[in-house]
Amino acid sequence: MGGSHEQTGALGSVLDRRWSVIKYAVVSRAIVLMLGAVSNAIINDYDASTSLVIPDASSGAESVLGTLARVFVRWDSFYFLHIADAGYVHEQEHAFFPLLPLLMRLVTGTVLTPLGGWVDRRIVLAIAGLVISNVSFVLAAATLYVLGCATLRNERLAYVAALLFVAAPASAFMSAVYTESLFAWLVFSALLLIVRQRYVWAALCLSASGLCRSNGILYAGFFVWDLVVCSDAWRGRHFVALAVRTVRAAILVAISTLGFVAFQAYGHRTFCQQPAEATAVPRPYCDSALSTVYSFVQAEYWDVGFLRYYTVRQLPNFALAAPMVALSLAGLYTYAAFDPLRIATLGWRQRRSVTGIVVPLGAAFFRRELLPHVYLWALLLFVAMTTMHVQVVTRFFSSVPIMFWFAAHAVTSGNWWQQRMVVGYFVAYGLAGVVLFSNFFPPA
């Protein structure tokens, strides 16, 4: 009876804190939307081109919705809005994946149908994008909390990490017509399903994430880690069982990549197999199976490539990325220094272990279960620093759970200055980002 009461109490605590996370997430989105609207009202836009995609209002209600849409349709949002409205017309639009535009169309044609008769379609589509992003953000915050409880085995650390996600430095992008929140929710959900060994549903979530952002396919590696690397069959040399698990992992990886592959196939068909719509200049992705429309577009139109961003003129962008890069390097070093042998041997050998149904607060970040997250974090940091527009690393890492877990570890177990540096960075960068984004100032 006593054990039953303890379990019930613990479950009640988790449920209560989950609703607490949801409450703070909703409040944070309201603050972001209001701050963006107020900032836009008192500060002149750096770039007034939003008026080209969001029409002037012809009625009172349309004016209110149009104003909100104009505040949070910036930078890449233009592309998502155009794709939702007209489909993929231009080659460069294939840098932007179709899930968000498809959902914008769906919401516009269902939930927001009553607005269609008296509000311009582009405004309704933009509002649909805002609804999707902000609802996804709340769901992502709650899912990160549950994932943290399951992975860290420490509810307090999971709760603090979820609150830090609520105050994420990329807050503006998480509420705008961008894919960050939707992608984070899909990835967090997939990782939670993997922890619960519901692998097929996890693979479907990752397949959907591959229709949202290209890096969704990288998370398929968790199936290999869970089913092959961590298999007990290695110890007993049960090679048949290991082969079965390897095949199972391969099937799950294939399912996970379906979304990304399908979108690349669509681009290939559009520009390589339909001459009427093809580009005038032959494209390498039409002749090589190793080249994709996405990789070509990123290199051709955005100059994305290995070390291409390392120029003097980009130094300000490296400065903008520096806090997130420093936080990531600190997190990777902290975890690796706890047990270098574990890092070097894929966790097959370790000098120090952290076990238990409930793990102490200061030790939760060092659990072996975080090892695949560490490897992925290091890979993503390398890619961001060498290949991407480095200033996007702040929002790029908004879907990386371990970044928030380490930030929470620094806040709960670090000294006074570490706590204030982390919290101060999250809050100040996030609020400043809202003001800059809503008025079309960099960083994008």
Side-chain angles (χ1 to χ4, degrees), residues 232-253:
D232 291 334
W234 289 103
R235 296 189 182 91
R237 297 187 178 183
H238 302 302
F239 296 117
V240 174
L242 187 61
V244 171
R245 294 174 73 88
T246 301
V247 171
R248 187 182 177 193
I251 293 172
L252 291 167
V253 169

Side-chain angles (χ1 to χ4, degrees), residues 52-94:
L52 299 176
V53 294
I54 301 293
D56 292 332
S58 59
S59 66
E62 189 176 60
S63 176
V64 173
L65 295 175
T67 299
L68 182 61
R70 273 187 288 273
V71 171
F72 288 95
V73 175
R74 307 294 195 192
W75 304 105
D76 294 354
S77 299
F78 284 14
Y79 289 96
F80 290 117
L81 184 58
H82 182 261
I83 294 166
D85 186 35
Y88 286 90
V89 177
H90 308 292
E91 184 183 47
Q92 62 265 36
E93 290 178 326
H94 283 258

Side-chain angles (χ1 to χ4, degrees), residues 225 331-352 365-368 370-378 402:
W225 180 268
L332 292 169
Y333 172 79
T334 300
Y335 187 91
F338 179 79
D339 190 348
L341 181 64
R342 181 167 62 185
I343 288 283
T345 62
L346 298 179
W348 287 348
R349 296 180 62 191
Q350 54 184 357
R351 291 193 176 95
R352 305 170 69 182
F365 177 71
F366 301 106
R367 297 193 74 219
R368 180 181 181 275
L370 272 67
L371 192 54
H373 293 271
V374 170
Y375 291 139
L376 180 60
W377 195 9
I402 193 170

Side-chain angles (χ1 to χ4, degrees), residues 174-188:
M174 308 295 279
S175 278
V177 185
Y178 268 68
T179 56
E180 269 65 21
S181 289
L182 179 60
F183 181 73
W185 175 46
L186 290 170
V187 165
F188 296 164

Side-chain angles (χ1 to χ4, degrees), residues 170-214:
S171 272
F173 299 95
M174 308 295 279
S175 278
V177 185
Y178 268 68
T179 56
E180 269 65 21
S181 289
L182 179 60
F183 181 73
W185 175 46
L186 290 170
V187 165
F188 296 164
S189 297
L191 294 175
L192 178 60
L193 289 165
I194 290 172
V195 170
R196 294 174 174 175
Q197 298 186 349
R198 298 173 65 180
Y199 295 121
V200 174
W201 285 107
L204 292 174
C205 280
L206 289 181
S207 183
S209 76
L211 285 170
C212 197
R213 296 185 66 88
S214 62

Side-chain angles (χ1 to χ4, degrees), residues 114-137:
L115 297 178
W118 44 281
V119 178
D120 186 272
R121 172 178 165 81
R122 286 168 293 178
I123 294 178
V124 180
L125 284 167
I127 295 300
L130 292 177
V131 169
I132 293 164
S133 289
N134 287 278
V135 170
S136 296
F137 180 87

Side-chain angles (χ1 to χ4, degrees), residues 306-317:
F306 188 69
L307 300 183
R308 288 189 185 182
Y309 220 55
Y310 280 73
T311 61
V312 174
R313 62 180 295 196
Q314 300 300 343
L315 284 177
N317 287 321

